[in-house]
Amino acid sequence: MEGDLGARAGCQEVHGDSSFARRLAHLARLDLLVIDDFAIAPMGAPERNDLLELVDDRIGPRSTLITSQLPVKAWDTYLNDPTLADAILDRVVHSSHMIELKATRSMRDTAEGAPPAARKGPEDLRSSRAQNHPRHPPHGSRFQAV
């Protein structure tokens, strides 16, 4: 389950070897948990239950950042279980700060329409990320990529 909460095989593996509670406790202690591209793939019942348990354990002084292309108002339909969706959304939305980005064109269209000097290819992006965002956090940090 190292990278994707919603990966069914990963959840089964973690549940199967009885280490889910340890993994969940580890994620609950992180100062910041980033769930990137939420709702990009279908989520089954086991993953919905795991998500509820995860967000429930993080209520309080811990921060969770969720990115999604799906508007929050559509999450209940995506989660496909009214009771669990309400419980998850109550915990996520209760004390959240939402930033909704609106664009008339996609980033891909914007890059293609930009002058050649302003366009950045994958190699340029990788090198700028490496310079601006170190792969490893400073020693002693409790932030961890999962």
Side-chain angles (χ1 to χ4, degrees):
M1 184 174 140
E2 192 58 35
D4 185 8
L5 176 69
R8 172 165 270 185
C11 289
Q12 288 175 343
E13 179 182 315
V14 172
H15 284 289
D17 72 1
S18 302
S19 65
F20 183 70
R22 269 193 327 268
R23 184 65 172 155
L24 197 60
H26 171 74
L27 293 173
R29 287 189 307 268
L30 296 174
D31 290 331
L32 173 65
L33 176 68
V34 177
I35 301 173
D36 192 24
D37 283 336
F38 176 73
I40 203 160
M43 183 181 286
E47 291 83 20
R48 287 191 298 264
N49 290 323
D50 292 345
L51 179 61
L52 174 59
E53 197 167 341
L54 177 64
V55 296
D56 191 51
D57 286 350
R58 294 191 55 77
I59 291 176
R62 306 291 184 230
S63 297
T64 304
L65 180 114
I66 302 173
T67 68
S68 180
Q69 294 182 27
L70 187 66
V72 173
K73 64 185 174 194
W75 287 11
D76 59 340
T77 303
Y78 165 77
L79 290 167
N80 197 27
D81 181 321
T83 304
L84 277 175
D86 283 347
I88 291 167
L89 288 169
D90 282 348
R91 286 155 179 81
V92 170
V93 176
H94 172 68
S95 61
S96 68
H97 299 279
M98 287 192 241
I99 301 170
E100 188 173 338
L101 303 178
K102 294 182 181 186
T104 56
R105 298 187 309 175
S106 75
M107 289 176 26
R108 201 173 287 130
D109 293 341
T110 303
E112 289 171 3
R119 291 185 199 153
K120 291 192 179 226
E123 292 301 319
D124 297 325
L125 291 174
R126 270 195 291 273
S127 65
S128 68
R129 280 189 201 129
Q131 292 169 355
N132 297 327
H133 303 288
R135 190 180 254 334
H136 301 287
H139 181 68
S141 173
R142 291 185 26 217
F143 296 126
Q144 177 182 342
V146 291

mmCIF file of all heavy atoms in Angstrom, residues 126-134:
data_model
loop_
_atom_site.group_PDB
_atom_site.id
_atom_site.type_symbol
_atom_site.label_atom_id
_atom_site.label_comp_id
_atom_site.label_asym_id
_atom_site.label_seq_id
_atom_site.Cartn_x
_atom_site.Cartn_y
_atom_site.Cartn_z
ATOM 1 N N ARG A 126 11.336 18.154 -14.844
ATOM 2 C CA ARG A 126 12.033 17.311 -13.867
ATOM 3 C C ARG A 126 13.194 18.054 -13.244
ATOM 4 O O ARG A 126 13.400 18.018 -12.044
ATOM 5 C CB ARG A 126 12.510 16.022 -14.528
ATOM 6 C CG ARG A 126 11.478 14.911 -14.458
ATOM 7 C CD ARG A 126 12.092 13.582 -14.791
ATOM 8 N NE ARG A 126 12.474 13.466 -16.162
ATOM 9 C CZ ARG A 126 11.699 13.062 -17.176
ATOM 10 N NH1 ARG A 126 10.529 12.719 -16.992
ATOM 11 N NH2 ARG A 126 12.102 12.997 -18.395
ATOM 12 N N SER A 127 13.966 18.767 -14.042
ATOM 13 C CA SER A 127 15.129 19.455 -13.492
ATOM 14 C C SER A 127 14.704 20.610 -12.592
ATOM 15 O O SER A 127 15.312 20.836 -11.558
ATOM 16 C CB SER A 127 16.056 19.946 -14.609
ATOM 17 O OG SER A 127 15.410 20.923 -15.382
ATOM 18 N N SER A 128 13.625 21.331 -12.936
ATOM 19 C CA SER A 128 13.199 22.426 -12.072
ATOM 20 C C SER A 128 12.595 21.897 -10.782
ATOM 21 O O SER A 128 12.773 22.477 -9.729
ATOM 22 C CB SER A 128 12.210 23.344 -12.794
ATOM 23 O OG SER A 128 10.989 22.686 -13.023
ATOM 24 N N ARG A 129 11.909 20.760 -10.840
ATOM 25 C CA ARG A 129 11.378 20.160 -9.612
ATOM 26 C C ARG A 129 12.519 19.744 -8.698
ATOM 27 O O ARG A 129 12.455 19.931 -7.502
ATOM 28 C CB ARG A 129 10.530 18.936 -9.940
ATOM 29 C CG ARG A 129 9.159 19.261 -10.391
ATOM 30 C CD ARG A 129 8.327 17.988 -10.472
ATOM 31 N NE ARG A 129 7.205 18.235 -11.348
ATOM 32 C CZ ARG A 129 6.864 17.465 -12.355
ATOM 33 N NH1 ARG A 129 7.537 16.373 -12.619
ATOM 34 N NH2 ARG A 129 5.836 17.764 -13.100
ATOM 35 N N ALA A 130 13.549 19.148 -9.274
ATOM 36 C CA ALA A 130 14.676 18.685 -8.458
ATOM 37 C C ALA A 130 15.359 19.853 -7.767
ATOM 38 O O ALA A 130 15.796 19.733 -6.632
ATOM 39 C CB ALA A 130 15.676 17.930 -9.337
ATOM 40 N N GLN A 131 15.440 21.006 -8.431
ATOM 41 C CA GLN A 131 16.088 22.163 -7.831
ATOM 42 C C GLN A 131 15.204 22.815 -6.778
ATOM 43 O O GLN A 131 15.685 23.255 -5.746
ATOM 44 C CB GLN A 131 16.415 23.205 -8.911
ATOM 45 C CG GLN A 131 17.477 22.751 -9.872
ATOM 46 C CD GLN A 131 17.579 23.683 -11.066
ATOM 47 O OE1 GLN A 131 16.796 24.604 -11.216
ATOM 48 N NE2 GLN A 131 18.546 23.420 -11.923
ATOM 49 N N ASN A 132 13.905 22.870 -7.021
ATOM 50 C CA ASN A 132 13.005 23.590 -6.133
ATOM 51 C C ASN A 132 12.380 22.732 -5.039
ATOM 52 O O ASN A 132 11.888 23.245 -4.059
ATOM 53 C CB ASN A 132 11.877 24.246 -6.935
ATOM 54 C CG ASN A 132 12.420 25.283 -7.887
ATOM 55 O OD1 ASN A 132 13.411 25.932 -7.591
ATOM 56 N ND2 ASN A 132 11.798 25.418 -9.038
ATOM 57 N N HIS A 133 12.344 21.437 -5.224
ATOM 58 C CA HIS A 133 11.688 20.558 -4.262
ATOM 59 C C HIS A 133 12.592 19.366 -3.985
ATOM 60 O O HIS A 133 12.580 18.398 -4.731
ATOM 61 C CB HIS A 133 10.356 20.057 -4.816
ATOM 62 C CG HIS A 133 9.446 21.178 -5.195
ATOM 63 N ND1 HIS A 133 8.827 21.969 -4.259
ATOM 64 C CD2 HIS A 133 9.074 21.674 -6.396
ATOM 65 C CE1 HIS A 133 8.103 22.876 -4.870
ATOM 66 N NE2 HIS A 133 8.241 22.722 -6.161
ATOM 67 N N PRO A 134 13.378 19.428 -2.928
ATOM 68 C CA PRO A 134 14.260 18.298 -2.646
ATOM 69 C C PRO A 134 13.450 17.024 -2.429
ATOM 70 O O PRO A 134 12.368 17.061 -1.864
ATOM 71 C CB PRO A 134 14.986 18.717 -1.373
ATOM 72 C CG PRO A 134 14.187 19.812 -0.790
ATOM 73 C CD PRO A 134 13.419 20.453 -1.907
#
